[in-house]
């Protein structure tokens, strides 16, 4: 007699979220398979966080070292070796397990290479075979958002995922999109010596973040030689004698720039073209619709990560994967608590955010009080001779933190204290009364909270 199901669980997508959930399920003795269309480990290990993070770490160190000339350090002759930099990036990826399914296979998970597609509510195809499964987890991530830019066939352009594999830095580059990724790549390539043009239709850099962030970054980019074109809409990209010609509208006029490379950092959209209709799974332009237990409209089909929409975050995807896995293995509910989750932009100085921004509060007609403290207000700024940044803390009338932004060296580490306080319902006074190192950046946090007590 033919068995009813081939697997207890099939995961479509072998990225961070899918692999984490699959490992939890396998640990609890479920028969699990993962179907992956590209590289094992997904975007995090192969295209974004790990490879770009390794490159950013190196170039930010170079930037800090060169800037050290103001302390009397002989840094003017510093150089970089790009093949060595690429080798370091590759080593970091290898250490992290990029495109490596060994851990999955050792856990007893069946790893299937192919493009996962739903045939029905219990059937999944890999392009050649059809497998029956009790439960399904959708973790296909996100892909490129339709840019609306006219790009004729044969015109070469790059996506952020292509940047780690560049054989050499381009002499000139036009980056479309001044969100977090666009700004990160602009600083990275400029540090390597590329002439960079950064354009966005918004009125300022990082338009989804606090206005102060864009103001500070605009000054830093101008100082470093990055040309910023705000309120500019790119309409087309064409080939022009071996180069790319970018045509855009600015101030009601059509203008153009010729560059060696164009990078599209225009955002992403959930990868939902996987036969959701065949299984009756509800979704919209923002992604698969799930409840707080990561369950879709079909009770035995779950989803986690970027396919569910929202702001892309490795930490958020990991939390959602744990929730989905717990529900799949019937081990009780896990609270979907994203309070205090930190959002990071990996430029120098680093930008970290939690909770609401000031714009969020205004849109929600929410009453709040705020403290904004420039880096120059604390002793560490004098010691480090660095003042490009600030801290902003938002609180409600009860003195509870509802949001914060820090733009400073090691902002992510500094933000951990406020994230802990926010998650555990502590007050501004709790933070302000905690001893902090006087001559450290952490004094920013204490002073900002103290202003609101």
């Amino acid at each position: 007699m033919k068995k009813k199901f081939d697997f207890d669980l099939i995961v479509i997508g072998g990225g961070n979220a899918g692999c984490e959930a699959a490992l939890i399920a396998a640990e609890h003795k479920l028969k699990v398979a993962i179907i992956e269309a590209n590289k094992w480990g997904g975007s995090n290990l192969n295209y974004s966080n790990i490879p770009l993070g390794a490159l950013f770490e190196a170039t930010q160190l170079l930037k800090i070292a060169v800037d050290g000339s103001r302390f009397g350090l002989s840094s003017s002759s510093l150089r970089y070796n790009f093949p060595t930099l690429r080798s370091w990036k590759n080593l970091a990826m290898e250490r992290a397990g990029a495109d490596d399914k060994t851990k999955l296979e050792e856990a007893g998970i069946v790893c299937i290479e192919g493009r996962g597609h739903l045939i029905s509510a219990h059937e999944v195809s890999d392009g050649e075979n059809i497998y029956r499964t009790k439960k399904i987890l959708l973790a296909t991530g996100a892909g490129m958002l339709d840019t609306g830019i006219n790009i004729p066939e044969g015109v070469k352009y790059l996506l952020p995922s292509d940047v780690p594999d560049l054989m050499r830095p381009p002499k000139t580059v036009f980056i479309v999109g001044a969100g977090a990724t666009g700004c990160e790549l602009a600083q990275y390539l400029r540090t390597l010596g590329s002439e960079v043009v950064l354009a966005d239709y918004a009125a300022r850099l990082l338009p989804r973040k606090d206005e102060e962030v864009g103001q500070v970054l605009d000054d830093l980019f101008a100082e470093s030689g990055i040309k910023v074109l705000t309120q500019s809409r790119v309409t087309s990209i064409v080939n022009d004698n071996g180069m790319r010609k970018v045509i855009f509208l600015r101030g009601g006029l059509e203008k153009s720039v010729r560059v060696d490379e164009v990078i599209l950092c225009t955002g992403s959209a959930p990868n939902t073209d996987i036969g959701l209709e065949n299984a009756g799974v509800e979704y919209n332009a923002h992604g698969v619709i799930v409840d707080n237990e990561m369950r879709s409209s079909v009770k035995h089909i779950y989803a986690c990560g970027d396919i569910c929409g929202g702001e892309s975050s490795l930490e958020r995807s990991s939390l959602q994967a744990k929730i989905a896995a717990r529900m799949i293995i019937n081990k009780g509910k896990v609270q979907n608590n994203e309070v205090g989750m930190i959002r990071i932009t990996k430029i120098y100085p680093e930008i970290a955010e939690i909770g609401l921004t000031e714009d969020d509060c205004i849109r929600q007609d929410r009453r709040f009080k705020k403290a904004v403290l420039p880096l120059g207000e604390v002793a560490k700024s004098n010691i480090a001779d660095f003042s490009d940044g600030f801290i902003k803390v938002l609180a409600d009338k009860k003195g509870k933190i509802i949001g914060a932004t820090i733009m400073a060296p090691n902002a992510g580490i500094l933000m951990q204290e406020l994230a802990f306080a926010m998650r555990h319902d502590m007050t501004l006074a709790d933070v302000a009364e905690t001893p902090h190192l006087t001559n450290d950046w952490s004094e920013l946090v204490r002073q900002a909270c103290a202003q609101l007590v």
Side-chain angles (χ1 to χ4, degrees):
M1 182 176 177
K2 186 178 180 181
K3 61 183 178 180
K4 186 175 181 181
F5 295 111
D6 301 298
F7 297 99
D8 297 314
L9 171 68
I10 288 182
V11 179
I12 304 180
N16 175 71
C19 289
E20 185 157 359
L23 287 167
I24 294 172
E27 183 181 332
H28 286 80
K29 309 305 179 184
L30 270 65
K31 187 176 182 181
V32 182
I34 298 183
I35 303 177
E36 169 56 41
N38 295 305
K39 293 186 176 182
W40 297 97
S43 177
N44 169 49
L45 296 184
N46 296 284
Y47 308 113
S48 58
N49 301 64
I50 298 300
L52 286 175
L55 294 171
F56 293 167
E57 191 77 19
T59 53
Q60 287 176 11
L61 180 61
L62 172 64
K63 176 176 172 55
I64 292 168
V66 170
D67 289 345
S69 61
R70 67 187 188 277
F71 299 122
L73 305 180
S74 180
S75 59
S76 60
S77 61
L78 274 175
R79 298 289 185 272
Y80 68 86
N81 182 288
F82 198 68
T84 302
L85 188 58
R86 279 177 48 87
S87 295
W88 154 239
K89 178 263 299 181
N90 292 336
L91 177 59
M93 292 172 63
E94 181 183 344
R95 287 174 175 174
D99 201 21
D100 186 354
K101 57 186 177 181
T102 303
K103 186 176 180 180
L104 299 171
E105 291 176 331
E106 289 176 346
I109 297 169
V110 178
C111 296
I112 302 169
E113 296 183 1
R115 188 165 297 280
H117 194 83
L118 295 170
I119 302 300
S120 71
H122 283 285
E123 294 176 303
V124 180
S125 168
D126 64 0
E128 295 183 3
N129 306 292
I130 295 176
Y131 307 94
R132 284 184 56 78
T133 179
K134 291 180 183 178
K135 298 180 181 180
I136 298 170
L137 176 63
L138 310 174
T140 52
M144 180 181 172
L145 183 69
D146 183 11
T147 64
I149 300 171
N150 179 34
I151 307 176
E153 187 176 350
V155 176
K156 178 186 172 186
Y157 62 86
L158 301 174
L159 299 178
S161 57
D162 298 317
V163 174
D165 291 328
L166 288 174
M167 297 305 296
R168 63 185 62 83
K171 290 183 179 179
T172 55
V173 59
F174 193 107
I175 299 175
V176 185
T181 302
C183 288
E184 289 171 346
L185 293 179
Q187 188 180 72
Y188 163 68
L189 292 170
R190 182 59 189 146
T191 302
L192 293 176
S194 300
E195 294 295 325
V196 179
V197 180
L198 177 61
D200 199 292
Y201 61 81
R204 57 184 171 89
L205 296 171
L206 298 172
R208 294 185 180 180
K209 303 186 186 302
D210 276 309
E211 185 176 357
E212 294 90 341
V213 173
Q215 292 170 347
V216 173
L217 194 57
D218 191 62
D219 291 340
L220 286 172
F221 278 7
E223 184 180 339
S224 68
I226 296 171
K227 185 175 182 179
V228 175
L229 301 175
T230 53
Q231 297 180 301
S232 301
R233 184 170 67 86
V234 175
T235 58
S236 61
I237 303 169
V238 297
N239 289 326
D240 187 4
N241 293 323
M243 299 182 75
R244 251 56 63 199
K245 182 178 180 181
V246 183
I247 302 168
F248 59 97
L249 295 174
R250 191 168 197 245
L253 300 175
E254 183 176 277
K255 301 182 179 183
S256 65
V257 175
R258 294 175 72 248
V259 293
D260 295 298
E261 300 286 0
V262 177
I263 306 176
L264 300 182
C265 300
T266 51
S268 59
N271 288 323
T272 54
D273 186 18
I274 54 173
L276 296 174
E277 302 90 345
N278 299 334
V281 175
E282 294 181 5
Y283 68 101
N284 56 30
H286 302 292
V288 173
I289 299 170
V290 294
D291 59 18
N292 286 333
E293 297 170 351
M294 310 314 300
R295 194 193 305 268
S296 76
S297 56
V298 180
K299 67 178 182 179
H300 65 273
I301 300 180
Y302 297 78
C304 62
D306 289 350
I307 191 174
C308 300
E311 188 166 355
S312 180
S313 162
L314 186 62
E315 295 75 23
R316 184 168 176 263
S317 294
S318 180
L319 172 62
Q320 291 179 350
K322 289 184 175 72
I323 294 169
R326 294 286 293 182
M327 296 304 301
I328 288 168
I329 62 178
N330 295 317
K331 289 294 182 180
K333 297 180 180 180
V334 179
Q335 186 180 10
N336 188 4
N337 184 3
E338 297 184 12
V339 173
M341 195 162 282
I342 300 173
R343 308 180 295 276
I344 287 287
T345 303
K346 298 295 291 185
I347 63 168
Y348 189 84
E350 198 171 57
I351 302 166
E353 304 166 282
I354 56 170
L356 303 174
T357 66
E358 186 171 352
D359 285 344
D360 291 333
C361 292
I362 293 170
R363 280 194 296 268
Q364 296 175 17
D365 196 25
R366 183 166 181 170
R367 297 183 64 183
F368 66 96
K369 53 184 179 179
K370 68 176 181 178
V372 180
L373 190 71
L375 297 195
E377 293 296 312
V378 296
K380 179 65 175 181
S381 176
N382 179 51
I383 295 169
D385 191 29
F386 191 90
S387 59
D388 297 314
F390 66 96
I391 181 173
K392 176 191 279 191
V393 178
L394 308 176
D396 62 18
K397 62 182 181 180
K398 296 180 180 179
K400 301 293 180 63
I401 300 164
I402 59 174
T405 298
I406 301 177
M407 187 175 187
N410 300 317
I413 295 175
L414 297 176
M415 188 62 85
Q416 289 291 165
E417 179 181 12
L418 292 177
F420 183 86
M422 188 174 179
R423 193 172 183 88
H424 294 279
D425 208 29
M426 298 167 66
T427 66
L428 294 162
D430 292 326
V431 178
E433 292 168 5
T434 301
H436 289 67
L437 292 172
T438 303
N439 293 324
D440 191 85
W441 290 120
S442 63
E443 176 67 2
L444 282 166
V445 177
R446 189 197 67 79
Q447 285 197 26
C449 290
Q451 285 186 11
L452 295 174
V453 174

